[in-house]
Amino acid sequence: MTQEDEQQPPQPPSHRGEGAPRRSFHRRRRPHRPPTQGTTGETAAAPETQAAVKAAAPAAAPQPLRQHAQPRSLDLSVVIPLFNEEQSIEDLVRQLRDVLSTIRMSYEVIFVDDGSSDGSFNVLRRAHQQNPRIKVIRFRRNYGKSAALSVGFKSARGAIVITMDADLQDDPREIPNLIRRIREGYDLVSGWKKKRRDPITRTIPSKFFNFVTSLMSGLKLHDFNCGLKAYRSAVVKEVRVYGELHRYIPALAHFSGFRVTEVPVEHRPRKFGKSKFGAGRFIRGFLDLLTVLFTTRYFRRPLHFFGAVGSLFALAGLVINVWLSILKLLGETSISNRPLFLVGILLIVVGVQFVSIGLLGEMITKAQHSEEEYSIRETIM
Ligand code: UDP
Ligand code: MG
């Protein structure tokens, strides 16, 4: 079953699993993938990108001599976004090799160099020369972790896709565990850094972030933003990750109806370099949560969000002002100089505005005529 990867070294008998019959992880090929050339060059551009380049070429351009059919699918893709991690890569490649050689799956490792300005790319190039199963995609500049993941996802050929950070904080030895959970039937298995090895300035806000995200998304996870995750390939081909939405991939997948779970994973302190995310992550993280909610839950029904908030405000304002009016009628001399009166008026005005915004949102939604996107699991026709 592993004959699909000619570079796979023969496995010693001691690596033959626990005697359980091995399940196949071959997915049927995605129908919309354009046929592409093999990725033998230094950079393995996403198939879509290659197709776009081809389309842009003049009609008379000579066709490449060797045209492969579609790229073969694999059992596993490991996608690793990185930005200036040159000191960690060699160690990481070694640790990955140790783990991946024990699981009997065909695999590829896709490093996405997110515009590193240190020697990361050279280290990666060397790694590819030593092991062609290591692929490297290099951005021209730093686009961010979400962009790197997104491009890695696009070119991933594995039926299962694992993501992890490149800074050695994630332990590759957790990979078999994550795969086991996928085999149990989950679509997304998120790591949970139960004992997190990061400064307290990171761990406390992160607890709050996870609490709020769990509450708002309706998906109970301890650790949304763990770099170490496993996905069924359907998830990574469907979920759109851009901006800094990588923090919310489990929530996005959950909204699409994928089955999401988490497993505790080992976490290690950062050995080299420093974290690439500063304090700005908190405010951006919060704004992104709003984006996620609005582009998923309330995308087609903005009035349900704005209308609910607006009605609550207006109702509170109304109650306050009716109460004050009763006092006035009962003989109170003046209510116009009471702060509560102003609060009541403010709540009514803001409430009405919220409802109006919701209605405008509904009109925009209707006017777009765009097709609703539904995540379809299976069809029998
Ligand atoms: N990363 C990236 N692009 C960026 C920032 C980070 O590809 O713009 C990578 C980084 O190299 C690492 C992973 O994303 O492999 C997680 O970053 P980091 O360790 O800085 O985050 P933290 O662990 O502090 O949350
Ligand atoms: Mg890190």
Side-chain angles (χ1 to χ4, degrees):
M1 215 174 281
T2 47
Q3 90 289 354
E4 58 281 342
D5 199 335
E6 70 278 2
Q7 282 116 16
Q8 183 96 22
Q11 299 297 318
S14 58
H15 291 147
R16 289 201 176 273
E18 302 96 55
R22 221 179 127 254
R23 272 185 249 171
S24 168
F25 277 87
H26 288 277
R27 272 180 76 245
R28 259 165 278 126
R29 218 176 294 282
R30 289 194 311 141
H32 65 276
R33 224 170 217 209
T36 55
Q37 284 174 263
T39 49
T40 44
E42 272 174 15
T43 55
E48 284 79 356
T49 321
Q50 293 185 354
V53 170
K54 265 191 220 164
Q63 289 297 308
L65 287 178
R66 230 155 55 91
Q67 270 211 315
H68 291 275
Q70 296 186 324
R72 288 164 311 161
S73 57
L74 299 167
D75 295 333
L76 180 70
S77 297
V78 183
V79 173
I80 306 176
L82 71 126
F83 177 52
N84 292 344
E85 308 281 7
E86 72 174 321
Q87 290 159 297
S88 307
I89 297 168
E90 271 179 10
D91 244 1
L92 178 63
V93 166
R94 214 170 301 125
Q95 291 179 17
L96 270 171
R97 190 197 53 207
D98 290 349
V99 172
L100 296 176
S101 62
T102 61
I103 52 176
R104 303 197 327 130
M105 296 168 84
S106 57
Y107 72 88
E108 64 183 351
V109 180
I110 303 171
F111 282 96
V112 186
D113 178 357
D114 184 12
S116 297
S117 51
D118 65 355
S120 293
F121 184 72
N122 289 334
V123 183
L124 290 171
R125 192 205 309 265
R126 248 178 286 135
H128 166 78
Q129 282 158 359
Q130 281 162 16
N131 180 359
R133 274 176 294 189
I134 293 176
K135 318 270 165 63
V136 189
I137 298 172
R138 185 188 194 181
F139 281 174
R140 221 174 272 286
R141 69 165 173 87
N142 179 236
Y143 285 98
K145 186 177 176 182
S146 288
L149 282 174
S150 171
V151 167
F153 285 163
K154 264 195 197 138
S155 69
R157 293 186 287 142
I160 294 179
V161 177
I162 302 267
T163 59
M164 60 187 299
D165 291 351
D167 56 358
L168 297 172
Q169 289 198 267
D170 295 331
D171 190 342
R173 282 174 300 186
E174 298 286 357
I175 290 177
N177 207 10
L178 296 175
I179 292 175
R180 203 167 304 130
R181 298 306 297 248
I182 293 278
R183 284 176 173 169
E184 281 170 18
Y186 289 101
D187 298 309
L188 194 169
V189 182
S190 186
W192 167 20
K193 303 177 293 260
K194 208 167 178 179
K195 275 216 179 72
R196 191 163 168 186
R197 318 276 182 195
D198 272 325
I200 196 156
T201 48
R202 295 284 312 280
T203 52
I204 302 263
S206 151
K207 280 217 164 73
F208 177 71
F209 159 84
N210 285 308
F211 173 74
V212 175
T213 309
S214 285
L215 200 71
M216 306 277 271
S217 66
L219 172 68
K220 298 270 167 294
L221 286 190
H222 291 89
D223 191 0
F224 278 81
N225 192 20
C226 184
L228 191 54
K229 289 188 173 66
Y231 306 83
R232 235 170 251 275
S233 105
V235 182
V236 304
K237 302 297 179 193
E238 177 160 329
V239 170
R240 284 185 56 222
V241 198
Y242 59 91
E244 286 191 16
L245 290 194
H246 59 268
R247 297 192 185 96
Y248 296 100
I249 297 179
L252 293 168
H254 170 69
F255 281 126
S256 292
F258 290 110
R259 288 150 299 180
V260 180
T261 189
E262 67 181 357
V263 284
V265 292
E266 199 63 43
H267 191 237
R268 305 182 284 203
R270 207 179 227 283
K271 215 159 134 193
F272 307 104
K274 56 180 171 44
S275 172
K276 306 297 182 298
F277 296 98
R281 69 162 74 205
F282 302 125
I283 179 74
R284 288 202 296 271
F286 171 69
L287 293 175
D288 282 346
L289 178 59
L290 291 183
T291 304
V292 168
L293 286 177
F294 271 92
T295 54
T296 52
R297 202 178 244 194
Y298 296 105
F299 192 52
R300 297 284 162 184
R301 49 191 185 102
L303 188 59
H304 284 187
F305 180 83
F306 288 106
V309 177
S311 306
L312 270 180
F313 278 21
L315 194 71
L318 209 65
V319 168
I320 288 171
N321 284 3
V322 166
W323 165 245
L324 289 177
S325 306
I326 292 172
L327 287 184
K328 172 85 181 169
L329 290 175
L330 290 180
E332 182 120 353
T333 48
S334 166
I335 57 167
S336 60
N337 60 348
R338 293 185 61 166
L340 196 59
F341 182 58
L342 290 177
V343 172
I345 292 177
L346 189 72
L347 283 174
I348 292 174
V349 172
V350 170
V352 170
Q353 282 187 338
F354 262 106
V355 175
S356 315
I357 292 172
L359 283 170
L360 283 177
E362 291 284 337
M363 288 182 199
I364 294 170
T365 307
K366 296 274 179 306
Q368 274 181 341
H369 292 303
S370 57
E371 289 255 323
E372 174 80 274
E373 280 179 20
Y374 302 107
S375 177
I376 293 169
R377 185 163 163 189
E378 278 167 70
T379 40
I380 302 177
M381 288 196 238

